Amino acid sequence: MRTQVAIIGAGPAGLLLSHLLHLNGIESVVLESRSRADIEATIRAGVLEQGSMDILNEAGVGERMQREGALHHGIELAFGGRRHRIDLTGLTGKAITVYPQHEVIIDLVAARIKAGGALLFETSKVELSGIDGSSPRVTFEHDGQARSIEADFVIGADGFHGVSRPMIPETQRQDYQRIYPFGWFGILVESPPSSDELIYARHERGFALVSTRSPTVQRLYLQCDPRDSVDNWSDDRIWSELHARTESDDGWKLKEGRIFQKGIIGMRSFVCAPMRSGRLFLAGDAAHIVPPTGAKGMNLAISDVKLLANALDGFYRRGSEEGLDSYSSDALKRVWRAEFFSWWMTRLLHTFEEASPFERQVQLAELENIVASRALSTALAENYVGAF
Ligand code: RFL
Ligand code: PHB
């Protein structure tokens, strides 16, 4: 098989890139190791920046997101028994949309299939070769058969644990990493929303986040030990921690409901630079990871592939390699700012076991400063909505 662009991974990055290329008349094949049902049911991110929504709308895949997504004009910071609103729209003119990542995946898969796009699920043994030449090759197994694709370019959009990044020799790349000593315990709950806006809560017992999925399903997170087991957390224990960490002097109370999914995720910050080697380009989580506190991961995946789609368009339309040559440095500028913000929000809101009493007080003082200062609130809001 031959194609112009071989894409490994059908996450937001790979699927959206394939669709953007298609809109520019560029052919691609997407290889995904999991099944369609599996990728369409995996619960991950929830928050889309305005810029991500614009890209999805322009690509013609935003219709359901506009109808079913919830526009949020603010977030709340909770600490010391009080809640403080950060007026995102008042401070930046922009808003965010809460629309689950797996719904974005469902919309993108539908759009690719409707357009006759080549999307191969349940592929295995994916290997890349020849990325230094002009005709790289991807070999894999599909439906029990060995297959191979020759392409002009290969895109590694296969997430943090994919096969693409290790293809860039260690001598050619630098990895930057920070692993946090805590994780998030995430649950899905059948209940109406407890709050109109997301609540980021800092508490001595640890961080908690009140998010939402729909008018009937809520998404809640608790800081926990990343090595802990879900089995150690009964529903009663989860609710009692969540109530303790989100308690508010004004009488506001979290609504309980049936918990129907539980999971623990680790937290890391990671960047691989450059995001290119020869004819292999990395996009999304394959190249960088942020802790979820800043809600940036899916948004970075979307902005990477928008840049990459433009660069590939320049190559095929005008024979220009300029966009391809600047892709990595252009993408990394935004990536590092999001890395900063996600690290900063994480540090601001989580309990660090090793923190001294002094450091804990300073953390609270920083929160007090943010909510008291329009300038500091604006800086947080600009980063959160992706105003730059
Ligand atoms: P993905 O989504 O991991 O997709 C990669 C795909 O590649 C496939 N794959 C392979 N396919 C073929 N061959 C191989 N060898 C392969 N190896 C892997 C995988 O099966 C998968 O389908 O990467 P992508 O596209 O770069 O997208 C990144 C986002 O998924 C990620 O950044 C976000 O989910 C992060 N994130 C959040 N981002 C936001 O923007 N806003 C949020 O509110 C937000 N909340 C979150 C999050 C991530 C979370 N978790 C679970 C880590 C909340 C959580 C809890
Ligand atoms: C989510 O709803 O899953 C979510 C929201 C905000 C975050 C992280 C995750 O910062």
Side-chain angles (χ1 to χ4, degrees), residues 250-261:
D250 62 7
W252 176 87
K253 214 167 172 283
L254 194 61
K255 291 194 179 94
E256 293 190 16
R258 185 177 72 87
I259 299 174
F260 63 94
Q261 210 215 50

Side-chain angles (χ1 to χ4, degrees), residues 44 46-47 184 198 200 209 211 213 219 221 292-293 295:
R44 294 188 75 176
V47 174
W184 279 12
L198 269 58
Y200 288 81
L209 171 60
S211 180
R213 282 294 177 269
R219 181 72 163 147
Y221 297 99
T293 330

Side-chain angles (χ1 to χ4, degrees), residues 1-5 27 29 134-136 148-153 316:
M1 209 193 313
R2 209 199 128 73
T3 189
Q4 289 175 299
V5 182
E27 218 183 70
V29 176
S134 60
S135 206
S148 112
I149 301 178
E150 210 175 283
D152 299 330
F153 299 97
Y316 285 111

Side-chain angles (χ1 to χ4, degrees), residues 99-337:
Y99 186 63
Q101 178 168 324
H102 68 275
E103 302 290 356
V104 175
I105 296 284
I106 289 170
D107 297 343
L108 284 168
V109 169
R112 291 313 301 125
I113 287 174
K114 190 168 169 210
L119 185 46
L120 305 182
F121 291 104
E122 298 179 67
T123 57
S124 60
K125 300 191 182 150
V126 171
E127 285 180 27
L128 318 183
S129 58
I131 56 171
D132 291 331
S134 60
S135 206
R137 179 180 290 272
V138 184
T139 55
F140 59 100
E141 273 186 26
H142 186 240
D143 274 344
Q145 288 186 350
R147 313 248 322 244
S148 112
I149 301 178
E150 210 175 283
D152 299 330
F153 299 97
V154 178
I155 311 302
D158 47 354
F160 184 68
H161 300 287
V163 294
S164 304
R165 189 178 61 255
M167 289 301 297
I168 304 183
E170 275 177 28
T171 51
Q172 275 180 34
R173 66 169 212 257
Q174 177 152 12
D175 291 349
Y176 302 84
Q177 172 154 264
R178 161 142 200 198
I179 295 175
Y180 298 85
F182 40 73
W184 279 12
F185 194 103
I187 58 170
L188 283 170
V189 181
E190 230 172 57
S191 82
S194 295
S195 162
D196 291 338
E197 295 178 338
L198 269 58
I199 303 174
Y200 288 81
R202 183 256 179 222
H203 193 274
E204 279 303 317
R205 302 184 67 87
F207 170 75
L209 171 60
V210 179
S211 180
T212 182
R213 282 294 177 269
S214 74
T216 53
V217 175
Q218 310 313 315
R219 181 72 163 147
L220 307 170
Y221 297 99
L222 281 170
Q223 176 182 348
C224 67
D225 182 333
R227 292 154 313 201
D228 205 345
S229 157
V230 166
D231 301 334
N232 293 332
W233 288 78
S234 66
D235 291 6
D236 281 350
R237 179 171 175 217
I238 294 171
W239 287 118
S240 102
E241 271 308 314
L242 279 168
H243 285 304
R245 295 182 192 192
T246 58
E247 75 186 345
S248 183
D249 294 345
D250 62 7
W252 176 87
K253 214 167 172 283
L254 194 61
K255 291 194 179 94
E256 293 190 16
R258 185 177 72 87
I259 299 174
F260 63 94
Q261 210 215 50
K262 301 178 186 178
I264 293 177
I265 56 157
M267 310 246 294
R268 77 170 81 221
S269 298
F270 175 87
V271 178
C272 160
M275 291 166 58
R276 172 193 188 174
S277 176
R279 293 263 173 152
L280 168 68
F281 292 80
L282 303 181
D285 278 14
H288 41 72
I289 294 287
V290 284
T293 330
K296 289 282 169 252
M298 174 166 51
N299 294 292
L300 285 178
I302 290 173
S303 55
D304 281 357
V305 297
K306 178 68 182 166
L307 274 178
L308 203 44
N310 288 343
L312 289 163
D313 190 47
F315 177 83
Y316 285 111
R317 213 179 282 270
R318 303 188 304 276
S320 163
E321 298 210 17
E322 215 175 297
L324 294 172
D325 288 340
S326 64
Y327 167 69
S328 175
S329 58
D330 291 348
L332 283 168
K333 271 193 202 112
R334 192 185 139 94
V335 166
W336 272 115
R337 296 180 74 168

